[in-house]
Amino acid sequence: MSKKLVLIDGNSIAYRAFFALPLLNNEKGIHTNAVYGFTMMLMKILEEEKPTHILVAFDAGKTTFRHKTFSEYKGGRQKTPPELSEQFPFIRELLTAYGIAQYELENYEADDIIGTLSLLAEKEGFDTKVISGDKDLTQLSSDKTIVNITRKGITDIEEYTPDHIKEKYGLTPIQIIDMKGLMGDASDNIPGVPGVGEKTAIKLLKEYGSLEKLMESLDQVSGKKLKDKLVEFKDQAIMSKELATINRQAPIVIELSELEYEGAENEKLVKMFKELGFNSLLDKLDTDVTETIELEDMKYKQIDTVDQDIFAKENGFYVEILEDNYHYADIVGFAIVNETGHYYLPVKTALASEAFKKWAEDESSQKIVYDAKRSEVSLRHHGIHLKGAEFDVALASYILNPSESPDDLAAIARQHGFLIVQSDEAVFGKGAKRKIPEETKLAEHLVRKADVLVALKEKLEQDLWDNDQHDLFSSLEMPLSLVLADMEYQGVKLDTVRLENMGEEIKSRLAEIETKIFELAGEQFNINSPKQLGVILFEKLGLPVAKKTKTGFSTSADVLEKLASKHKIIEEILNYRQLGKLQSTYIEGLQKIVNKETNKVHTRFNQALTATGRLSSTDPNLQNIPIRLEEGRKIRQAFVPSEKDWVIFAADYSQIELRVLAHIAGDEKLIDAFRNDMDIHTKTAMEVFHVGKEEVTSNMRRHAKAVNFGIVYGISDYGLSQSLNISRKEAGEFIERYLESYPGVKEYMDEIVKDAKAKGYVQTLLHRRRYIPEITARNFNLRSFAERTAMNTPIQGSAADIIKKAMIDMAERLREEGLKTRLLLQVHDELIFEAPQNEIERLKKIVPEVMENAIDLKVPLKVDFSYGPTWYDAK
DNA sequence: GAGTTCACGC
DNA sequence: GACGTACGTGAACTCA
């Protein structure tokens, strides 16, 4: 077996982690961000590299042999912040728990230890991986040694092989040292030659090979200024090179055999993680760790005959279904935990029991559940209408922190310190190996889950109160889960014949286009392969390369569109892509998932996923059915009412996000515009371009529309420049002018960012929160992104709140009025119903009324609606 | 099976 | 001065 050595630059990685992550605190107020980042990195390395040997090297003390050469080496460097210093002991302890060797050496830096050991390892036939945040280490790269340098954060790395260095700099690894000697390194206070930067250094080295050879041939150097500098600073350059050279002969007294990695002491790790408050990392430890810890015996009773006395007023109730599509999956078992005891109910027993059904449908018997909607829908397939599910742990967790909400009950439990239940993956396995274990194991697992539900409710409910989010939970998300359950269970009818005909037509058109493309290309290839397509377009046909992805040429639509005038093949390819998308995703995709007996599709709305509070939709995703291009829009002709002579009735909010913005920001002009029901894009164009209504050109309006779009989605100047195909500078100016035009909005944007920095989160009108820790990041990108998130989330999230409220109100209103109309879908700002003809007139009044009055804002909400025999016609 | 690229909606 | 830039789902390809 081959030997694999991993060498980690401990100080460098700790620094990286510290600066990449916000200052986390554990319960005792100890800073833990560097330890956390370090741990993440370690876990990743261990998993990906699977080393046989491993060592973490640290710098020892303040001075090294390099200071003898140059006393100002690393001078001017900022002192290590105390918040980081205090974390080193924990990192050391962590490494001990992992059973990973550590080493430091008086007078030497971690670099030198790593350099020395990697040289030794090469001689002994190891494959070595060096991990650092310091690019200096790349000089160690060789055919046996790969150097990984962290790029941003701590887990994103760039891999330096000799080939990669050649490609990136045109140099060999050894020449990296020469480059450093010439250009210096501000961070280490290595002077180099003034006026020589990376570009010049590379040029010189490509020509002369090394610093020494360059110095020998100084007279040949072109450019007087450069030559003078090189002459003047010759000694300084040579010294700089010396400083930058890693010592590969350090007097280390440790042997490679001592670095053998035998695995972590899991119990120590679990203990440490708990102390440090790394609950989320506990999850990532080997599953057998969570199996062994603190799992006290679970006493439970298996129920063979359901009797009233196993029920109480408040019950933890867990419904287990293994597959994720609960519309088609079987229930695997139930568990109930309450003050009377712990019970496991086999599926057959429960479903055959009248007592069970009666209890499940009893509103007054409260159930604490995990994923209410999932439980409701699956029970309904067995004729049981779950009632009294008053606390959904998954939804509560999501509301408390939508970004961190795990998708497994055990993980939520762990997050809150309850280590009494295993992960589903540990019990059922994952992927192809997922299966139901023997019944006692299953029973115990389910009972534990029901048990932890009860414990979690207590904790989560308190947290909801503390955050002033209880109302959002109990009056919005909980009732909404019932509405969504109805929608999903009801499903949407498809005209499968229509779908099939469209498929046939597209198929033949695709074949035609394919022939044309092959003719134009002069050969056959897979058009769907970006790789092959790239070769054809940019190598064979020699079209100009505008953009590259990390694996090759970019062939995305925006790139291709710019090439359209250069070759006839482009248009065909874009056409092929568009039709291919319709065929594979929509026609075939829907055909795959439609219920063959009922011709209905039953989507699942994920109510606990997005960071903003929007819903998402899967299997099929009915929130991205084409509409923009007529060609694709025709897909909507296949969406029809499920009953004869009914219609599809669609109602959408007009500019809900911008209206919300007007309200939140309290911007006079924006409020005024909406009160007067103006065309908001025209209005914005008037403001931004300082023109009258009549002078707004279609191009101005288009630009204004894109800026409004940008505000709603929180895109950057770069994003705006992409969508308008203008420069980033121009895009930035547009945004600035927008903010000048709407001073209230500008003020809001400034305030919300300040607020987010102070509180660490932002919130919506109905108190939905989103935590934005990166808002204090030192990294410009992370911080900018966080700032845009802070500005955008209250807008988009409040809009999501409002339509959710409208859905609940709508369901209630339909019930009150005894209408047969059914709500089928929600697509972020629109609701789609199916309705009998004779209810249309009522709906025309009720739907806008309910939707527009879902909340009271400083501006009116406006709803447009339409209806027709198919979804296509409801436009 | 995981990661990448592309494309659809809001 | 560079970084890599709304979110979500799904398909096909590619590599291991």
Side-chain angles (χ1 to χ4, degrees), chain A residues 278-297:
Chain A
F278 294 173
N279 290 323
S280 64
L281 290 184
L282 280 171
D283 253 3
K284 296 188 177 160
L285 290 176
D286 290 344
T287 42
D288 59 343
V289 174
T290 55
E291 262 174 66
T292 53
I293 50 162
E294 293 187 26
L295 277 191
E296 289 165 31
D297 276 354

Side-chain angles (χ1 to χ4, degrees), chain A residues 280-382:
Chain A
S280 64
L281 290 184
L282 280 171
D283 253 3
K284 296 188 177 160
L285 290 176
D286 290 344
T287 42
D288 59 343
V289 174
T290 55
E291 262 174 66
T292 53
I293 50 162
E294 293 187 26
L295 277 191
E296 289 165 31
D297 276 354
M298 179 52 69
K299 298 233 166 45
Y300 68 91
K301 196 170 156 199
Q302 175 162 337
I303 302 300
D304 294 315
T305 314
V306 181
D307 198 80
Q308 281 302 330
D309 58 14
I310 66 164
F311 303 125
K313 189 166 173 293
E314 189 179 82
N315 313 272
F317 178 43
Y318 198 90
V319 181
E320 185 66 88
I321 308 146
L322 279 202
E323 285 104 308
D324 40 71
N325 194 337
Y326 47 77
H327 290 298
Y328 297 108
D330 291 328
I331 296 173
V332 168
F334 302 95
I336 295 173
V337 168
N338 56 36
E339 58 190 21
T340 74
H342 295 64
Y343 310 104
Y344 162 66
L345 289 78
V347 195
K348 281 185 188 155
T349 311
L351 293 179
S353 154
E354 266 308 309
F356 177 78
K357 179 174 156 80
K358 193 165 163 251
W359 169 76
E361 295 185 342
D362 179 1
E363 184 91 53
S364 69
S365 169
Q366 297 176 0
K367 289 105 184 163
I368 304 161
V369 298
Y370 175 80
D371 198 342
K373 179 158 64 67
R374 188 180 174 82
S375 312
E376 281 156 18
V377 173
S378 55
L379 281 169
R380 206 170 305 182
H381 282 290
H382 297 277

Side-chain angles (χ1 to χ4, degrees), chain A residues 479-531:
Chain A
L480 181 69
S481 78
L482 295 171
V483 176
L484 292 171
D486 281 339
M487 293 161 67
E488 294 181 4
Y489 183 77
Q490 184 58 41
V492 187
K493 178 98 162 179
L494 291 187
D495 180 345
T496 50
V497 176
R498 174 113 218 171
L499 212 53
E500 187 143 343
N501 290 339
M502 284 191 228
E504 287 299 327
E505 194 208 316
I506 292 177
K507 191 177 154 198
S508 67
R509 286 174 55 196
L510 275 171
E512 275 174 42
I513 300 172
E514 189 185 56
T515 315
K516 259 193 219 163
I517 291 175
F518 291 162
E519 245 169 58
L520 288 164
E523 69 180 284
Q524 301 205 345
F525 65 101
N526 185 346
I527 307 168
N528 283 322
S529 159
K531 195 175 165 186

Side-chain angles (χ1 to χ4, degrees), chain A residues 270-282:
Chain A
V270 171
K271 193 162 158 269
M272 260 201 90
F273 283 8
K274 281 177 76 178
E275 277 170 13
L276 290 164
F278 294 173
N279 290 323
S280 64
L281 290 184
L282 280 171

Side-chain angles (χ1 to χ4, degrees), chain A residues 629-675:
Chain A
L629 302 171
E630 177 58 24
E631 189 88 66
R633 189 175 201 155
K634 290 214 160 63
I635 298 282
R636 294 180 174 225
Q637 292 173 340
F639 289 77
V640 296
S642 65
E643 316 224 11
K644 195 162 173 290
D645 292 331
W646 282 33
V647 296
I648 298 293
F649 189 102
D652 68 291
Y653 281 109
S654 163
Q655 304 297 350
I656 187 167
E657 281 98 349
L658 291 174
R659 286 169 198 262
V660 166
L661 172 63
H663 172 86
I664 299 181
D667 184 279
E668 301 285 338
K669 264 195 250 175
L670 212 46
I671 290 176
D672 201 55
F674 282 122
R675 284 189 180 155

Side-chain angles (χ1 to χ4, degrees), chain A residues 65-111:
Chain A
F65 68 90
R66 288 186 179 84
H67 290 88
K68 281 187 192 151
T69 312
F70 184 49
S71 60
E72 286 149 66
Y73 176 66
K74 292 204 172 176
R77 195 177 252 210
Q78 288 236 312
K79 205 170 160 287
T80 308
E83 292 87 356
L84 172 57
S85 306
E86 71 188 30
Q87 295 186 53
F88 275 101
F90 292 101
I91 293 176
R92 302 289 198 135
E93 197 186 326
L94 178 86
L95 292 171
T96 309
Y98 262 107
I100 291 174
Q102 309 167 36
Y103 197 70
E104 61 195 321
L105 184 62
E106 205 59 37
N107 274 330
Y108 290 84
E109 295 180 58
D111 293 11

Side-chain angles (χ1 to χ4, degrees), chain A residues 445-646:
Chain A
H445 183 53
L446 298 194
V447 173
R448 277 185 206 286
K449 291 213 257 191
D451 191 44
V452 87
L453 285 176
V454 180
L456 275 171
K457 184 214 168 183
E458 188 98 345
K459 170 83 164 55
L460 297 176
E461 187 157 48
Q462 189 56 51
D463 290 351
L464 289 169
W465 283 119
D466 292 346
N467 283 359
D468 202 6
Q469 292 185 297
H470 199 275
D471 197 49
L472 171 67
F473 173 76
S474 61
S475 307
L476 195 85
E477 299 293 353
M478 285 307 302
L480 181 69
S481 78
L482 295 171
V483 176
L484 292 171
D486 281 339
M487 293 161 67
E488 294 181 4
Y489 183 77
Q490 184 58 41
V492 187
K493 178 98 162 179
L494 291 187
D495 180 345
T496 50
V497 176
R498 174 113 218 171
L499 212 53
E500 187 143 343
N501 290 339
M502 284 191 228
E504 287 299 327
E505 194 208 316
I506 292 177
K507 191 177 154 198
S508 67
R509 286 174 55 196
L510 275 171
E512 275 174 42
I513 300 172
E514 189 185 56
T515 315
K516 259 193 219 163
I517 291 175
F518 291 162
E519 245 169 58
L520 288 164
E523 69 180 284
Q524 301 205 345
F525 65 101
N526 185 346
I527 307 168
N528 283 322
S529 159
K531 195 175 165 186
Q532 294 182 37
L533 180 61
V535 171
I536 296 284
L537 295 181
F538 303 111
E539 286 178 8
K540 181 158 181 191
L541 300 179
L543 292 166
V545 180
K547 202 163 88 183
K548 296 200 94 182
T549 66
K550 58 180 119 167
T551 52
F553 309 109
S554 168
T555 67
S556 59
D558 61 310
V559 171
L560 295 190
E561 270 154 25
K562 293 189 180 111
L563 298 173
S565 61
K566 301 222 163 41
H567 201 290
K568 276 196 292 186
I569 198 171
I570 299 295
E571 195 192 332
E572 301 295 340
I573 288 164
L574 287 168
N575 225 331
Y576 183 90
R577 283 249 180 94
Q578 194 203 327
L579 282 176
K581 175 76 178 173
L582 293 181
Q583 183 78 306
S584 66
T585 303
Y586 298 104
I587 308 271
E588 289 169 6
L590 287 169
Q591 282 170 337
K592 257 184 253 169
I593 198 115
V594 70
N595 183 317
K596 297 284 178 309
E597 275 150 40
T598 60
N599 281 350
K600 281 185 171 187
V601 282
H602 301 265
T603 188
R604 280 170 296 136
F605 289 104
N606 196 333
Q607 198 186 346
L609 185 138
T610 70
T612 55
R614 278 187 171 186
L615 299 174
S616 77
S617 158
T618 50
D619 294 326
N621 179 352
L622 295 182
Q623 293 183 319
N624 72 344
I625 302 301
I627 187 164
R628 241 181 59 247
L629 302 171
E630 177 58 24
E631 189 88 66
R633 189 175 201 155
K634 290 214 160 63
I635 298 282
R636 294 180 174 225
Q637 292 173 340
F639 289 77
V640 296
S642 65
E643 316 224 11
K644 195 162 173 290
D645 292 331
W646 282 33

